[in-house]
Amino acid sequence: MRRILLLSAAVALTGPAAAQFVPSQESLQGLYPGKAYSPYAKRSFPSRVFWGDTHLHTGYSMDAGLFGNTTGPDTAYKFARGEEVTAASGQPVKLARPLDWLVVTEHSDGMGMIFDLKDGAPNVLATDQGRRWSEAINEGGEASVKATLDLITTFSQGEMDPKLIADYSPGSPIYASVWEDLIQTAETYNEPGRFTAFHGFEWTSLDKGNNLHRNVILRDGANKAQQVEPMVTQGPGGTTDPMGLYAWLEDYEAKTGGQAFALAHNGNLSNGIMFPSDERFTGDMVDEAYVTARAKWEPLYEITQIKGDGETHPVLSPDDEFADYETWDAGNLDLTEAKTPEMLRGEYAREALKQGFALEQKFGINPYRFGFSGATDSHTSLATADSDNYFGKATNAEPSPTRMAHPFTETDQGEFPGWSLVASGYTGVWAEENTRASIWDAMVRREVYATTGPRMAVRFFGGWKFSDADLRTRNPAFVGYDKGVPMGGDLRAATSDAPTFMVYALRDPIGANLDRVQIVKGWMDSDGALHEKVYDVAWSDDREPDANGQVPPVGNTVDEQAASWTNTIGASELATVWTDPDFDAGQQAFYYARVLEIPTPRWVLYDQVRLGAEVPADAVRIGQERAYTSPIWYAPEG
């Protein structure tokens, strides 16, 4: 059985106790390679994981405000820092544990428009679209709902009145005022060492409803953020082409001397255009300029959030028994076009990582060499990713007995049912300290991992000489950094016949036990064909793999009537050293760890117990929450 629990290291001493005893280097060799006896002194690597959300909206975002969010960034920061706040729906809400950092990412297009629509501002009433929407929103009820959906559809199809959108675009006094307010609020709540508030925004690119959204995160403070205004998608200065965003990022760094990066999300709603391998949605071919720019500016990909999981799809990974997890595959973002199987290849993270090898062979650069982040994409100002504290995508989906009965989107092309929304996710960052610079730098070097909400502590190292003896300590990170590279890195030059990986995970202290740890490998063979395989490397309880090497299910302790579970199965921690049994030194490969919890209730069961809500017959009631580490890459020498 490939299961090793972390053990405390002990060095036996013989003879009389000696106050002046100093352990020799030899006595510690192989057991504790730290720089000093005290494991907390002289450390030169990140020793803490900081939890946060890279993607949150407040009422300043047009769609959030349209769906009833009357709260702003102050509420978002207070809530993330652990304070109790009042949601826009009037309900009190508080996190179980504070977050360490947050990026408020308002939609850059139309920031602040919702307030003027509600107030009937003169510039709004001067356009036919603005007057119609303003009157309907203020009428309330069904008229307001229809106006909201019409406005969102009009924006997603690129049909906004140029005069109206210009007032809420860069260059206008209204827009400048909103951006300045967001900057100053972030500065107010940024407290180095305690809580980090990043400056950022969401560039909401849509091509006929096909999602190409990116979040931009700045490393810098107000002095640099104030020198620019966000990139937008609408005319006259905007574009939906990511090449335009990359140019904005280049200009930002050149103008301010600052630093920024972008991360994409919800490729599962792009209908195949998020990760192009041949032709881009613009009609241009994927070329050297594109792969170079994308590789430079997008070090992370948002692999999980409210609108579905983005790791892989069962059609792409038919041999992966856990591939069908929180799957959204009815169509694009606004369901104006249904999904077809051939679109899936350009939508999911694991497939993109593989396609990156083929593009690197062609252009010498891999544009899909990204790490994994998780976020909520909540439009409530509330970064809630725990199933027992889920406040929905938007204010109209905050806790109520009927919220899961209302579809997120429904057209004649398909449906995203209300119950399918996901209580997800967070990003864990291994960083030296809780500051903008330290956390941002860790994200760029990809020493981060995504979870669907639970705060598991996960380490993943790759090298050539790890052994089981390296786990005979409560501080295996010392040997991890000494003999290998952490998640997000490149394997060093080979010193043995096959790479070894050290992975260990501790359960969320107030969460569920762990089922198993898996390592996912993707590679390209000598003929250019792309492959993947999932290996069970550590698991709980007395289970044995079957004849095909698969570990049986862990079991299920969920009590659906109580929306609860027991930790009578699973393990509180799992760790192992694993050697790739199928390694070929001539093949490019990536490896990442996936950590699964035992089954727990989804948020729909908490609604059933607390609100008396009726759970639809087809709703998924139970899931196995998980973590995804950023990959480690191998490249043949020469």
Side-chain angles (χ1 to χ4, degrees):
M1 177 171 63
R2 292 302 305 245
R3 176 175 72 95
I4 302 173
L5 294 184
L6 293 176
L7 303 175
S8 297
V11 179
L13 306 179
T14 59
Q20 300 301 314
F21 173 80
V22 177
S24 68
Q25 182 67 27
E26 290 74 21
S27 72
L28 295 177
Q29 187 65 41
L31 290 178
Y32 179 68
K35 294 184 178 181
Y37 177 83
S38 170
Y40 314 108
K42 304 297 184 183
R43 276 190 299 202
S44 58
F45 57 81
S47 59
R48 284 188 58 190
V49 59
F50 295 100
W51 291 100
D53 187 350
T54 58
H55 189 176
L56 182 74
H57 299 269
T58 80
Y60 278 66
S61 285
M62 184 166 57
D63 55 350
L66 285 168
F67 281 110
N69 188 1
T70 57
T71 64
D74 283 286
T75 297
Y77 292 123
K78 289 176 181 178
F79 181 75
R81 284 162 53 119
E83 296 182 36
E84 182 175 310
V85 301
T86 301
S89 60
Q91 303 179 67
V93 57
K94 183 178 181 179
L95 284 174
R97 293 158 290 178
L99 294 177
D100 299 303
W101 56 271
L102 178 68
V103 194
V104 172
T105 52
E106 308 292 11
H107 294 299
S108 56
D109 286 277
M111 282 197 305
M113 181 188 292
I114 181 59
F115 303 116
D116 287 348
L117 281 170
K118 290 179 177 178
D119 293 341
N123 67 305
V124 168
L125 299 180
T127 66
D128 290 339
Q129 285 181 346
R131 184 177 64 257
R132 185 174 72 251
W133 292 329
S134 179
E135 291 173 353
I137 288 170
N138 283 291
E139 180 180 336
E142 187 63 26
S144 178
V145 172
K146 289 182 178 179
T148 296
L149 295 174
D150 182 47
L151 194 158
I152 293 172
T153 300
T154 300
F155 174 80
S156 68
Q157 298 299 316
E159 297 174 353
M160 294 287 288
D161 187 316
K163 293 180 180 178
L164 180 60
I165 198 66
D167 284 340
Y168 304 93
S169 297
S172 80
I174 297 173
Y175 195 87
S177 175
V178 173
W179 178 236
E180 176 64 22
D181 185 54
L182 291 171
I183 290 172
Q184 292 306 321
T185 307
E187 290 298 309
T188 297
Y189 288 95
N190 187 61
E191 242 186 287
R194 180 192 170 198
F195 182 83
T196 295
F198 285 97
H199 298 298
F201 61 89
E202 180 174 358
W203 177 74
T204 314
S205 173
L206 284 170
D207 175 58
K208 300 180 179 62
N210 299 327
N211 181 78
L212 286 171
H213 299 184
R214 264 78 168 177
N215 293 340
V216 172
I217 303 176
L218 309 184
R219 187 179 189 266
D220 315 300
N223 62 328
K224 292 177 180 176
Q226 288 168 330
Q227 297 180 45
V228 299
E229 291 179 328
M231 179 66 181
V232 294
T233 66
Q234 302 294 301
T239 178
T240 59
D241 187 348
M243 293 297 285
L245 177 64
Y246 304 149
W248 185 95
L249 292 164
E250 194 83 53
D251 290 344
Y252 170 80
E253 293 197 348
K255 179 178 181 178
T256 69
Q259 293 177 278
F261 73 83
L263 62 89
H265 66 87
N266 279 129
N268 59 321
L269 301 180
S270 73
N271 273 10
I273 68 173
M274 179 60 80
F275 300 112
S277 55
D278 299 307
E279 184 178 342
R280 301 198 297 120
F281 80 100
T282 58
D284 300 317
M285 299 302 294
V286 171
D287 58 13
E288 186 174 352
Y290 177 79
V291 299
T292 301
R294 186 154 186 173
K296 177 178 181 179
W297 296 113
E298 296 195 29
L300 296 179
Y301 176 66
E302 188 177 291
I303 197 172
T304 182
Q305 64 131 273
I306 273 177
K307 299 192 299 295
D309 200 74
E311 183 204 10
T312 191
H313 188 280
V315 169
L316 299 172
S317 304
D319 296 327
D320 182 354
E321 62 181 311
F322 297 102
D324 191 10
Y325 176 73
E326 302 290 5
T327 304
W328 280 40
D329 58 3
N332 57 357
L333 180 59
D334 60 4
L335 282 179
T336 54
E337 182 183 16
K339 189 81 67 192
T340 60
E342 60 270 16
M343 295 174 179
L344 297 172
R345 192 181 77 159
E347 297 192 344
Y348 286 87
R350 188 188 300 175
E351 184 65 26
L353 291 170
K354 293 191 297 181
Q355 294 295 329
F357 290 145
L359 290 169
E360 184 175 5
Q361 186 178 60
K362 184 176 182 179
F363 297 108
I365 297 172
N366 183 346
Y368 304 139
R369 202 171 171 280
F370 47 73
F372 298 149
S373 64
T376 63
D377 191 16
S378 292
H379 283 52
T380 60
S381 308
L382 309 171
T384 58
D386 295 327
S387 287
D388 69 344
N389 197 29
Y390 174 63
F391 262 66
K393 164 75 171 177
T395 296
N396 66 330
E398 290 183 6
S400 77
T402 59
R403 64 169 169 169
M404 75 180 79
H406 300 295
F408 173 76
T409 309
E410 184 178 23
T411 71
D412 56 2
Q413 300 297 317
E415 178 188 8
F416 295 125
W419 60 259
S420 68
L421 285 156
V422 191
S424 190
Y426 288 141
T427 301
V429 179
W430 288 104
E432 291 81 4
E433 57 186 1
N434 190 353
T435 62
R436 285 171 177 159
S438 186
I439 293 174
W440 191 94
D441 290 349
M443 288 194 280
V444 168
R445 69 175 181 263
R446 300 181 293 267
E447 198 167 353
V448 303
Y449 60 102
T451 85
T452 56
R455 303 190 197 183
M456 320 170 200
V458 183
R459 286 284 206 181
F460 182 50
F461 294 96
W464 299 92
K465 292 186 176 180
F466 289 124
S467 68
D468 289 348
D470 293 328
L471 294 175
R472 294 177 60 200
T473 173
R474 298 305 301 185
N475 295 285
F478 282 102
V479 70
Y481 286 98
D482 183 55
K483 294 171 65 173
V485 297
M487 62 182 80
D490 294 294
L491 284 170
R492 299 168 185 166
T495 57
S496 65
D497 294 336
T500 56
F501 297 88
M502 182 169 67
V503 57
Y504 54 99
L506 304 177
R507 79 168 212 204
D508 183 327
I510 63 172
N513 274 347
L514 306 179
D515 167 12
R516 68 188 71 195
V517 177
Q518 300 176 307
I519 290 180
V520 179
K521 177 185 177 182
W523 72 97
M524 183 172 70
D525 66 25
S526 58
D527 296 324
L530 301 172
H531 307 271
E532 65 177 63
K533 188 172 182 179
V534 180
Y535 301 85
D536 288 313
V537 299
W539 54 90
S540 66
D541 306 321
D542 296 321
R543 293 176 284 166
E544 294 292 341
D546 62 20
N548 297 317
Q550 287 192 313
V551 175
V554 68
N556 180 12
T557 66
V558 172
D559 180 344
E560 293 194 25
Q561 299 306 310
S564 187
W565 78 96
T566 61
N567 277 328
T568 52
I569 58 174
S572 61
E573 52 186 333
L574 293 171
T576 195
V577 169
W578 175 79
T579 302
D580 181 0
D582 305 308
F583 181 68
D584 185 325
Q587 297 175 347
Q588 282 190 296
F590 65 80
Y591 304 82
Y592 64 87
R594 183 172 67 183
V595 182
L596 275 66
E597 285 187 344
I598 65 172
T600 53
R602 288 184 79 248
W603 63 269
V604 298
L605 291 182
Y606 291 100
D607 277 19
Q608 174 182 278
V609 170
R610 296 175 183 172
L611 303 173
E614 182 177 346
V615 181
D618 59 343
V620 177
R621 293 164 163 77
I622 298 169
Q624 284 189 260
E625 304 229 46
R626 53 200 64 192
Y628 305 108
T629 73
S630 292
I632 293 172
W633 285 266
Y634 165 77
E637 295 182 28

